[in-house]
Amino acid sequence: MKIPQHIAIIMDGNGRWAKKQNRPRSFGHYQGTENVRNIAIKANELGVKVLTLYAFSTENWKRPAEEIDFLMSIPAIFIERFLAELMEKGIRIKTIGDLEPIPEKTKKVLLRAIETTKDNSNMTLVFALNYGSRKEIVNGINKYVEDVNNNCAPYPLTEELFEKYLETSEFPEIDLLIRTSLDYRLSNFLLWQLSYSELYFTDIYWPQFTGDELVKAIEEFSNRQRRFGGLNE
Ligand code: V0D
C-alpha cells in the first residue's frame, strides 16, 4: 500500500450525524473533535507526514452565534485532552488561515499549542481555521505585488514562485483529499493545491469515519496510483 505523504480532509456531517439521533449539533461537533484525535493518531501510525483538516471556513461565520461560540471553544478542549498524546507521538500542530478575527482566548490556546509542539517531527497536523482558498490566493498575489514593487521578486510570476506565497508552501503536495458525508464539492478548500490530488468522497459522517475507513481511502488511493502510475498528470 502506497501511503500518501499529505492528506487533506473536509470533515463534514457532524450536525447531520447528531440530528439523526435527535442530539444537538454541538454533540456532533464534540464527537467530531474526538474523531480528529483518532484519525490523527491513525494517520501518524500509517506514516502520513502532513494531515490538513478543514476545521473552520471563512463561510462558517454565518452560522448562529451560539454555534460559533461552541466551535471556538473546541481548540482548548482538544488541546487540554490530547496535547500530552501529541507530544508522545511527535505530532506538531500548525494552522493555515487568517487567525486575526479568531477570539483572543482561542488564539492564545492555539499559539501556545503551536509553540509547545514546534519541535515534533513525525507528523504535522494542520488546522485550517478561518480559511478560504480564494482569499489565500488573493493575499498571495498582493504579497507578490508588494515584493515586486520593493524589487524583492522577479516579474513575471511563475507557478513555482507563486507557490511560495501560499500558506502551504512549506508542506509537500497534497496526494489525497477526503470529504465525508457525501457532498461533492471543494467548498473553497485548497483550490490551487488540489490541482492534481486524488479526490475521495464517502457517505460516512465525520464522527463515524474510523481509522479503518481512513485505511480504505488510502487503499483506494494506492490502487489508483498503481493503475495510472507514471502515465497520468
Ligand atoms: C468542528 C469536526 C479540532 C469539524 C471536527 C475552531 C468541525 C471538530 C479543532 C482544533 C473543530 C483546532 C485547532 C487546534 C486544535 C484542535 C477544531 C474547530 C472545529 C474550529 F489547535 N476540531 N475542531 N477546531 N471541529
Side-chain angles (χ1 to χ4, degrees), residues 3 5 7 16 24 53-54 56 74 78-79 91-92 102 105 109 113-114 166 181 186 198 209:
I3 302 296
Q5 275 201 77
I7 300 179
R16 255 174 281 177
L53 303 177
Y54 208 0
F56 195 88
I74 289 180
F78 181 93
I79 286 156
I91 300 173
R92 165 174 81 147
I102 303 280
K105 247 177 83 178
V109 168
I114 293 167
L166 295 173
S181 199
L186 293 181
E198 294 289 345
F209 188 82

Side-chain angles (χ1 to χ4, degrees), residues 52-67:
T52 299
L53 303 177
Y54 208 0
F56 195 88
S57 78
T58 49
E59 297 305 298
N60 286 154
W61 296 109
K62 294 177 188 156
R63 300 219 177 145
E66 185 193 76
E67 184 172 349

